[in-house]
Amino acid sequence: MTPPMLDIEHLGKRYAPGLPPVLEELNLQMEAGELVTLLGPSGCGKTTTLRLIAGLETPDTGRIRLGGRDVTSPFLPPERRGVGLVFQDYALFPHLTVLGNVCFGLHALPRAERVIRARETLALVGLTVFEHRYPHQLSGGQQQRVALARALAPRPPLLLLDEPFSNLDAGLRHATRQEVRAILRRSGTAALLVTHDQEEALAFSDRLVVMRGGRVEQVGPPHEVYAQPRTAFVANFLGRSNLLSGTAGGRHARTALGDLLLAEPAHGPVLVSVRPEHLAFARPGEDGVPVTILAREYKGHDVTYTVRLGQQELLVHDAAGTFWPEGTEARVRVTQAARAVR
């Protein structure tokens, strides 16, 4: 049986005695060619996890295996782990050309083979025509692809990406992210991405790992984690959600929005998550709960309304083109099953 590409067991790390752990009991597996994203707020342990895998930090507890090989006991230094690294600032050498930057990590190969391998990798990222340019002569997106090529040139089975798109403007970030994902697919390289950008995580990943306070809150395919959040933190961090207190009795819960159908049965006091896109304004003749329109954000393809229901404010995404002036009364209804969260 082929071992996982990456196997992390009970990983723990704290930076000083008496301080809370940065990571606590982290468990994660990755398969060959898989794209996984660590998502969470600043300080949740994402980058520390990456640094521990790369060998830039030593864990206090737990094990890391790469392709079945234990790299924590005995400790294996970064240069012997066979993983690629792409950092937020790209870390390109300004005095080297694009070709020179990509050749830099190929010292184990004869010089003639280094150039051949570097040119093959530049072709993979679409930068062959720029091989004689220097980093300052490239755009941000091109510099990003040079950094990716340098990391991919040694043909590592696993690539670690630490917020690699954060220095790009919004339009370039979207295009570069799609390009990088396609390049990784073509190369067959597994990648572990660290980000706090929810849209980026949803678009890039085969699987999503949502972290909070050094622990994993939920793991799964992006569509599953978004549609089936297990905790209030996941529901609110991955997109926005309306959280309502209620009382459940099987497949229904009584809330301020009425008697809601639940995706999974629950009993007793519950916190119910209703996504803004699962609320709609009731048309004439439809049942609905009365609300007051407080504010609206026009986004072109839809409008996000903030409404008041009793003492609580809710968000409603409306794509129907209805225009509700602020201060007016309306009625809302729930269009899909809600989820009880912890």
Side-chain angles (χ1 to χ4, degrees), residues 52-55 64 66 69 71 75-83:
L52 288 168
I53 296 168
I64 300 170
L66 293 167
R69 179 179 59 166
V71 297
F75 181 81
L76 207 62
E79 64 273 15
R80 294 180 56 199
R81 295 199 176 195
V83 299

Side-chain angles (χ1 to χ4, degrees), residues 209-266:
V209 182
V210 183
M211 298 181 65
R212 180 191 188 193
R215 288 182 173 270
V216 172
E217 288 268 317
Q218 190 168 345
V219 181
H223 66 277
E224 181 182 292
V225 177
Y226 181 86
Q228 303 171 26
R230 294 178 188 163
T231 67
F233 173 81
V234 173
N236 253 337
F237 190 80
L238 195 61
R240 294 193 283 183
S241 190
N242 299 303
L243 299 173
L244 301 101
S245 299
T247 303
R251 291 299 298 270
H252 289 82
R254 186 174 299 170
T255 73
L257 279 171
D259 192 25
L260 302 187
L261 175 67
L262 295 178
E264 295 176 350

Side-chain angles (χ1 to χ4, degrees), residues 9-294:
E9 292 182 349
H10 309 298
L11 201 62
K13 177 69 177 177
R14 69 176 75 222
Y15 285 111
L19 291 179
V22 181
L23 278 182
E24 192 170 7
E25 287 293 313
L26 178 69
N27 295 283
L28 177 66
Q29 287 189 344
M30 282 181 64
E31 300 301 330
E34 191 177 20
L35 306 181
V36 175
T37 297
L38 301 180
L39 174 69
S42 298
C44 73
K46 307 183 301 294
T47 295
T48 297
T49 301
L50 226 60
R51 292 177 64 82
L52 288 168
I53 296 168
L56 301 174
E57 302 280 355
T58 55
D60 297 328
T61 58
R63 291 183 182 277
I64 300 170
R65 294 184 179 88
L66 293 167
R69 179 179 59 166
D70 191 337
V71 297
T72 48
S73 182
F75 181 81
L76 207 62
E79 64 273 15
R80 294 180 56 199
R81 295 199 176 195
V83 299
L85 289 167
V86 179
F87 296 103
Q88 184 174 343
D89 61 0
Y90 314 148
L92 298 178
F93 299 108
H95 64 289
L96 295 180
T97 63
V98 166
L99 186 63
N101 267 280
V102 179
C103 285
F104 184 81
L106 298 173
H107 296 300
L109 297 178
R111 177 168 174 75
E113 289 184 33
R114 267 185 266 165
V115 173
I116 292 171
R117 176 77 65 83
R119 285 181 170 148
E120 287 175 352
T121 313
L122 284 173
L124 179 68
V125 301
L127 288 177
T128 304
V129 296
F130 298 114
E131 67 174 56
H132 297 301
R133 292 194 184 182
Y134 289 87
H136 72 272
Q137 297 173 311
L138 304 176
S139 69
Q142 289 165 345
Q143 290 180 24
Q144 171 62 269
R145 283 188 282 161
V146 175
L148 181 65
R150 186 176 62 187
L152 288 174
R155 297 180 181 168
L158 175 63
L159 191 64
L160 305 176
L161 303 162
D162 189 7
E163 306 237 20
F165 312 115
S166 60
N167 287 335
L168 305 176
D169 63 55
L172 187 57
R173 184 163 62 243
H174 178 266
T176 304
R177 182 176 68 225
Q178 288 185 312
E179 289 173 357
V180 168
R181 193 177 194 279
I183 290 164
L184 291 170
R185 285 292 191 226
R186 290 198 297 272
S187 68
T189 305
L192 184 61
L193 169 72
V194 158
T195 185
H196 61 268
D197 186 307
Q198 302 149 28
E199 180 185 339
E200 188 168 286
L202 289 168
F204 186 86
S205 318
D206 297 323
R207 275 193 305 140
L208 200 55
V209 182
V210 183
M211 298 181 65
R212 180 191 188 193
R215 288 182 173 270
V216 172
E217 288 268 317
Q218 190 168 345
V219 181
H223 66 277
E224 181 182 292
V225 177
Y226 181 86
Q228 303 171 26
R230 294 178 188 163
T231 67
F233 173 81
V234 173
N236 253 337
F237 190 80
L238 195 61
R240 294 193 283 183
S241 190
N242 299 303
L243 299 173
L244 301 101
S245 299
T247 303
R251 291 299 298 270
H252 289 82
R254 186 174 299 170
T255 73
L257 279 171
D259 192 25
L260 302 187
L261 175 67
L262 295 178
E264 295 176 350
H267 296 274
V270 290
L271 193 61
V272 177
S273 169
V274 180
R275 293 286 187 190
E277 61 268 28
H278 298 162
L279 283 176
F281 291 108
R283 291 173 293 192
E286 291 182 329
D287 291 333
V289 177
V291 296
T292 303
I293 308 295
L294 297 180

